[in-house]
Amino acid sequence: MGRDLLAYKGIMKVLASVLFITLIEVASIILQAKLLSTWLFQLFNGSIFRKTLTIGILFITTFVIRHFVVMIKKKITFHYAQRTSITMKKQLLTKIFELGPKFTNKQGTAKLVTLAMEGTTQVRTYLELLIPKMVAAFVIPAVIFIYVFFQDKLSSIILFLTLPIIVAFMILLGLAANKKMEKQWDDYHLLSNHYLDSLRGMETLKYLGLSKKHGATIDDVSDSYRKSTMGTLRIAFLSSFALDFFTMLSVASVAVGLGLRLINGELLLDVALLILILSPEFFLPIKEVGSDYHATLNGQEAAKAIRTIIEEEEKDELVVSSSKGWNRSSILKLSSVNYAHENDQQSALSSIGFQVKGFERIGIVGASGAGKSTLIDILGGFLQPDQGTFRVHDQILPTLTSNGWRKQVTYLPQHPYLFSDSLAENIRFYNQDATRDMVEKAVVSAGLIEMMKSLPNGLDEEIGNGQRSLSGGQEQRVALARALVSDRPILLLDEPTAHLDIETEYELKEKMLGLFENKLVFFATHRLHWMEQMDRIIVLKDGEIAEMGTLDELMKLKGEYYSLILTQLEGIQ
Amino acid sequence: MKTWLIPYVKLHYKGLLLSIFLGLFALFCGSALMFTSGFLISKSALRPENILMVYVPIVGVRTFGISRAVIQYLSRLSSHHTILGILSDMRGKLYRVLELQAAFLHSRLKTGSVLGVLVDDIDHLQDLFIRTILPSIVSLGMYATVVLSLGWFDWTFAILIACYVFLLVILIPIASLAYLRISLKFIKKDRNIQYQELTDSTLGIRDWMVTGRQSELINQSQVKDQIVTRLEAKAKKVKRLRDFISQLVIGAIVISMVYWSSGMVGSDRLSVTMIAAFVLVTISISEAFLPVSDAIEKLPEYSDSIHRLKQLEEHIGEDDNHEYQTLSNNNMLINLKDVFFKYPDSERFVLNGIDLTISQGEKIAILGRSGAGKSSIVQLITGVRGATQGQVEINGYSPQAIGDSLFEKISVLNQRPHLFNTTIYNNIRLANQNAAAEEVYEVARKVGLYDYIMTLPKGFDTHMSESGSIFSGGQQQRIALARTLLKGSSVVILDEPTVGLDPETESALLTTIFTALQDKTLIWITHHLTGVQKMDEVIFLEDGKIVMRGSHQELMKKDARYRGLYYLDVPKSVRKYLSGI
């Protein structure tokens, strides 16, 4: 533990100051013990309290100094830990938004967000706890040992010998516990999952008429859960028992040893007292290293995970000349574009090649997993293909992932992103300069006027998470309004209506068609009725283009598209 | 508090008392070690003639040294044993509380993750007991012991020490809690908002990339971080100061102790050997009071957990103990007469006068926008909720009077059939525990899964958790369908089981469903028209009223609006080609 500490930026400076403060701390610990024992010795020898006041004042001064420097030490480490965790968070977020959806899909949104929020906090706690503890564990026992050695060799040897015994027992017990705990852990895991599983499936149990009966099973399982946990704990607590046992035993032996030598007159009471006061202080920092073990472990793991992401390599970005926007005569040509999937969420594509010109409307259809969304992601510049080239105007590019290209794109997914701000700001998302007038017009064209009127603050009503939840249809209308004010020449739609009821889809379709004018449109969907409004259709099958052509051509061909229509009609006719 | 803590404290009071006693005793042994050590060396310094004079303190030092660790260990075991027993009871209770609202759990709690949170909440209560309540009580017990034993020597001094310790155990913790509570609340709130926003923006990562304003987003998040950071730094500062002040109080206690004991010795009311003993024990005990502040400080963290659990209670009606009707007949006649319905916490009527009769074997589809009242009809028929006005009857009985045995006759297939973490075989057989293996295979064949399951290495004995997701969405629905078939109920309610499936999977699944359930009554909630022509009647709901009804053929003939919707799915070009086949 602790070796990875050295990888943090600016750690040396912090370690140096903490080391310096810890030296002051240990000096005041010893001085304080020395003063207290002298003071008690004088009183023991019959001095009156008032006459020993100087020494009492000195004692309390060192006492205050000791705790004051501890406070400073905590402050320094906390601020360092906080700074570091904030920097890490920023680096992490920057990286995530550079790497794009391929990365977030692969890692999982929930995991990344937890890492950015919880992970960085854990790193902070880790640094905050570990830095002072590590320094203290190295410095304080060593200094106290040396000091005690010059006071009374025998006591110092007892203290010193306890250390390897503690370590040896901790290792032995640790090994035994680990073995047993691994086994117990499986049971524990199984039982804990059973409970959650039962809660999640309760609706199903209810509909099967079993939910009441299952209550008894829960009690049984819960009870075995308790027993198995106790089994684990009995072992887990043993290590802290050993630590406790040997330190206490060591202190007791020191005390008895001192007593015997006092009787024989080999020692004076003040030295004996001094050693007795110092011996718990000798063990304290070592004990503390073991506490908060889980917090430090979590922090270490989180830091490792965050570093891996930050150090993730990113391929060079190629800039599409943004001076030349997409227009009526522009040409985009894809040649043998390949994308191999590293995970289940993104389907593979192989040897995709086609050419589009100007403001064509292209439908993209195919069964689930055929690669429709992957193609949209590549066309939107969210995903970098493994192979292949793109010709845009006269430029040959290996990828479309550049801000220049993306700035021409409007994207309408199944669940458009609404952030918590006013309705108007959400509509301005792509185009910050849009005037109030433009926004209002877009609201009318997107059919949002009814909803806007129903909101207490109209356009300025807060929407997005936790504020005012919109229905799926309303979300799409906001996205539509957003597309209208941005007026970008390329429009990508990824299954925007799949989850809507048929009446809402019907109304939305009327509004959406107006948006397709004078734009290059790529529309990926299962809902084949949209293909009526497309100029050409790409039919994907297992990541390849099976067919491409106009609706009429494909229907006449009686190939893949035709059979898609037939399968879907089976449910209808 | 009343429902989630107190009853359990009463039930397990013996274990709790034992844990508190052992905790106190461990603390006592630790202090006694220092006390006897101090006494031992002082006594030895007087150089007694015989070593036997210090024999008792020597034994004491050794005994306390050893027993402190042993008792500490026992105390931890005992407290965990008790608390785990309490938690086990609580889990059972949570299950029963949730069971009463099982059928609308999803609409109330929205996602499965909330259930995970509730389970965690119970685990948090474990920490509440072990990290906060027990240590605080032990400290209070120690406080009382210290004051009483000092009182035995000198009551005035005991009162002085009582005041000091009052600062340590009561005043400082409560003051810092009161102060920190507010800032902790803000920190938590801000962090939750950040959490939510970050999740949303990560999900909307494509939208952000399209705007090219990613750096703006990160800067925004940095600004919010700084607000939280400042609050956290302030809270930490308060804690550091608090700890420092507590140490000063300890310093004052030590000095007072030195003053008092030397005074007592001076007036011969105390042996000289006691000075060191008293001072050493003071240092050791005072440190035991320090953790109280940290323990109390955790209270706000638990209040959310307790609050969430308490909220659950508020939603349960009284547990039903009345006699249930049993349905002997397999012919189900479902009848809704002039039914009005609104949710208890809302003013708006979801259903406004529904008349509907469904006889055995009839097949109806119910369509409408979200919020039109489709799901409410299901809840009324299954007796999950009662009509606000009007009558809902199944064979003449109210569904609520039939209770859970209703589900022997009625099956529900919804969007989220749960596959339990056990084998495929058990998952299907769940529906009918008396079914023979052959029957299980038979229903698997009927839903078209048998061949697929046999391709798995372990066949029907494959565990659900073994390979992540063995089943796709469509296949999960097929398992649920197999359960329905095995149960053999005469009415099947399909509550949008195909949502989220692609059209090809959907139409294949619907074909299987309709074939397998030929002779059953079907009530099918859906949001588009795929498959409705296989139904006897199609009903459109709007604002809680039936606005269109009739068979597909009738509606195609007489209703222009219906035709418009239908033609959306079957556009001109397709119709042209279809007539050509």
Side-chain angles (χ1 to χ4, degrees), chain A residues 82 89 124 128 195 197 207 211 219 234 240 368 377 429 502-503 507 529 532 571-573, chain B residues 73 76 91 95-96 99 206 213 225 232 236 369 418 421 487 502 531 533 561 566 568 573:
Chain A
Q82 200 177 36
K89 186 171 172 187
R124 192 190 75 192
E128 195 189 345
Y195 184 61
D197 193 38
Y207 288 143
S211 54
D219 289 341
R234 257 194 290 273
S240 69
S368 301
D377 278 352
F429 188 54
I502 187 147
E503 289 168 274
E507 289 165 9
H529 63 80
E532 301 277 308
I572 293 182
Q573 285 297 316
Chain B
Y73 179 67
R76 289 180 81 181
R91 286 201 184 90
Y95 179 83
R96 285 186 183 88
E99 195 272 329
R206 291 177 178 82
R213 286 162 49 203
D225 268 350
E232 281 172 337
K236 275 281 167 178
R369 290 164 194 263
H418 187 81
N421 201 352
K487 208 167 75 162
D502 68 74
Q533 43 288 102
R561 185 169 158 201
Y566 179 75
L568 179 68
S573 63

Side-chain angles (χ1 to χ4, degrees), chain A residues 91-103 307-319 381-385 399 401-403 406, chain B residues 205 209 214 218:
Chain A
Q91 286 173 330
L92 178 66
L93 289 182
T94 314
K95 199 71 191 187
I96 291 173
F97 280 85
E98 269 170 22
L99 290 170
K102 180 184 168 186
F103 185 71
R307 280 232 182 78
T308 323
I309 294 176
I310 292 175
E311 281 154 17
E312 184 103 358
E313 239 181 283
E314 193 192 357
K315 291 173 199 166
D316 286 331
E317 193 170 273
L318 282 133
V319 184
F382 309 130
L383 204 63
Q384 199 164 353
T399 173
T401 50
S402 74
N403 278 338
R406 286 187 207 125
Chain B
I205 193 165
M209 289 175 90
Q214 298 98 305
I218 288 156

Side-chain angles (χ1 to χ4, degrees), chain A residues 347 365-372 526 539-542 564, chain B residues 502-505:
Chain A
S347 310
V365 298
S368 301
K372 297 193 294 291
H526 282 299
V539 184
L540 290 175
K541 195 183 179 192
D542 302 327
L564 268 182
Chain B
D502 68 74
E504 290 76 37
T505 316

Side-chain angles (χ1 to χ4, degrees), chain B residues 514-534:
Chain B
F514 294 144
T515 327
L517 301 176
Q518 264 168 20
D519 48 344
K520 315 268 184 200
T521 302
L522 274 190
I523 302 170
W524 178 27
I525 311 287
T526 177
H527 69 254
H528 55 219
L529 292 170
T530 313
V532 290
Q533 43 288 102
K534 298 210 170 116

Side-chain angles (χ1 to χ4, degrees), chain B residues 305-531:
Chain B
S305 297
I306 292 184
H307 183 70
R308 260 193 298 266
L309 291 170
K310 216 171 79 184
Q311 258 188 338
L312 282 180
E313 295 277 298
E314 287 164 10
H315 289 269
I316 342 171
E318 64 281 23
D319 198 359
D320 24 29
N321 280 322
H322 49 82
E323 292 281 305
Y324 287 122
Q325 307 288 341
T326 39
L327 295 170
S328 48
N329 206 323
N330 270 336
N331 274 336
M332 295 289 137
L333 179 70
I334 300 167
N335 203 355
L336 278 79
K337 252 185 278 174
D338 200 24
V339 168
F340 287 78
F341 174 72
K342 68 181 182 67
Y343 288 97
D345 45 1
S346 146
E347 284 302 305
R348 195 177 71 92
F349 273 90
V350 185
L351 297 178
N352 281 307
I354 300 285
D355 281 296
L356 190 62
T357 307
I358 309 165
S359 26
Q360 183 58 47
E362 218 178 317
K363 296 179 168 39
I364 70 162
I366 301 177
L367 280 100
R369 290 164 194 263
S370 56
K374 293 172 297 188
S375 303
S376 311
I377 292 190
V378 176
Q379 294 191 332
L380 290 177
I381 294 177
T382 51
V384 168
R385 297 199 186 261
T388 315
Q389 206 182 305
Q391 273 165 337
V392 182
E393 283 177 351
I394 298 178
N395 288 1
Y397 300 117
S398 145
Q400 289 192 309
I402 303 170
D404 274 2
S405 69
L406 179 70
F407 294 111
E408 286 163 23
K409 309 289 179 189
I410 297 183
S411 286
V412 181
L413 275 186
N414 60 17
Q415 284 172 43
R416 348 152 258 276
H418 187 81
L419 299 189
F420 290 90
N421 201 352
T422 168
T423 60
I424 298 177
Y425 180 81
N426 285 338
N427 258 298
I428 298 176
R429 198 163 168 272
L430 197 63
N432 179 2
Q433 314 270 9
N434 304 319
E438 201 35 58
E439 291 176 76
V440 173
Y441 301 148
E442 181 56 35
V443 292
R445 246 174 238 127
K446 274 195 186 150
V447 300
L449 273 183
Y450 185 81
D451 293 335
Y452 172 70
I453 294 173
M454 292 317 273
T455 63
L456 300 170
K458 290 189 195 163
F460 276 85
D461 292 326
T462 308
H463 222 263
M464 282 303 161
S465 60
E466 266 172 44
S467 59
S469 48
I470 329 171
F471 292 123
S472 67
Q475 286 169 326
Q476 292 183 13
Q477 289 293 354
R478 281 169 195 268
I479 294 273
L481 182 63
R483 282 180 187 154
T484 308
L485 291 176
L486 194 64
K487 208 167 75 162
S489 33
S490 30
V491 177
V492 179
I493 297 175
L494 304 170
D495 191 358
E496 307 205 54
T498 58
V499 163
L501 303 180
D502 68 74
E504 290 76 37
T505 316
E506 176 179 26
S507 77
L509 179 63
L510 286 177
T511 311
T512 313
I513 290 180
F514 294 144
T515 327
L517 301 176
Q518 264 168 20
D519 48 344
K520 315 268 184 200
T521 302
L522 274 190
I523 302 170
W524 178 27
I525 311 287
T526 177
H527 69 254
H528 55 219
L529 292 170
T530 313

Side-chain angles (χ1 to χ4, degrees), chain A residues 43-44 49 63 67-68 71 74-75 78 82 86 89-90 93-94 97 101 113-114 117-118 121 124 128 195-197 199-207 210-212 214-215 219 222 225-226 230 233-234 237 240-241 244-245 248-249 252 259-260 262-265 276-277 368 377 382 406 409 411 417 420 429-430 432 465 488 500-504 506-507 526-527 529 532 551 555-556 564 567-569 571-573, chain B residues 33 37 40-42 44 46-47 51 54 61 65-66 68-70 73 76-77 80-81 84-85 88 91-92 94-96 98-99 106 112 115 119 191 194-197 199-203 205-206 208-211 213 217-218 221-222 225 229 232-233 236 240 243-244 247 251 258-259 272 280 369 404 407 414 416 418 420-421 430 483 487 502-504 507 527 531 533 561 564-566 568-569 571 573-574 577-578:
Chain A
L43 291 168
F44 180 81
F49 183 78
F63 183 88
H67 293 289
F68 185 75
M71 188 164 75
K74 283 189 197 160
K75 185 176 169 165
F78 172 73
Q82 200 177 36
I86 287 177
K89 186 171 172 187
K90 183 174 179 176
L93 289 182
T94 314
F97 280 85
V113 172
T114 313
M117 296 293 300
E118 296 301 320
T121 313
R124 192 190 75 192
E128 195 189 345
Y195 184 61
L196 196 55
D197 193 38
L199 291 189
R200 294 213 164 117
M202 189 140 32
E203 197 182 13
T204 303
L205 287 173
K206 171 98 183 168
Y207 288 143
L210 290 172
S211 54
K212 289 236 155 52
H214 194 68
D219 289 341
S222 225
Y225 180 82
R226 179 179 63 90
M230 272 319 287
L233 290 181
R234 257 194 290 273
F237 290 163
S240 69
F241 166 75
D244 238 21
F245 183 79
M248 283 296 173
L249 201 63
L260 293 179
L262 278 166
I263 295 177
N264 295 336
L276 198 57
I277 294 170
S368 301
D377 278 352
F382 309 130
R406 286 187 207 125
V409 169
Y411 175 64
Y417 165 65
S420 52
F429 188 54
Y430 286 166
Q432 299 272 285
N465 60 71
R488 295 175 172 201
L500 302 178
D501 66 86
I502 187 147
E503 289 168 274
T504 308
Y506 191 79
E507 289 165 9
H526 282 299
R527 308 280 293 145
H529 63 80
E532 301 277 308
L551 180 61
M555 288 302 277
K556 280 189 188 127
L564 268 182
T567 340
Q568 288 199 16
L569 283 177
I572 293 182
Q573 285 297 316
Chain B
L33 169 67
S37 306
L40 166 68
I41 58 170
S42 308
S44 310
L46 294 175
R47 306 204 51 190
I51 197 163
V54 290
V61 166
I66 292 168
R68 141 85 209 202
V70 175
Y73 179 67
R76 289 180 81 181
L77 281 186
H80 279 84
H81 179 80
L84 288 174
S88 164
R91 286 201 184 90
L94 178 64
Y95 179 83
R96 285 186 183 88
L98 291 174
E99 195 272 329
H106 257 279
L115 289 175
V119 175
R191 279 185 64 87
Q194 263 190 307
Y195 222 109
Q196 190 69 53
E197 286 182 354
T199 310
D200 282 355
S201 32
T202 315
L203 286 173
I205 193 165
R206 291 177 178 82
W208 277 106
M209 289 175 90
V210 161
T211 61
R213 286 162 49 203
L217 173 80
I218 288 156
S221 130
Q222 284 290 100
D225 268 350
T229 306
E232 281 172 337
K236 275 281 167 178
R240 285 196 301 265
D243 291 348
F244 182 60
Q247 290 291 353
V258 175
Y259 171 76
V272 73
L280 285 182
R369 290 164 194 263
D404 274 2
F407 294 111
N414 60 17
R416 348 152 258 276
H418 187 81
F420 290 90
N421 201 352
L430 197 63
R483 282 180 187 154
K487 208 167 75 162
D502 68 74
E504 290 76 37
S507 77
H527 69 254
Q533 43 288 102
R561 185 169 158 201
L565 293 175
Y566 179 75
L568 179 68
D569 257 350
S573 63
V574 177
Y577 278 91
L578 282 175

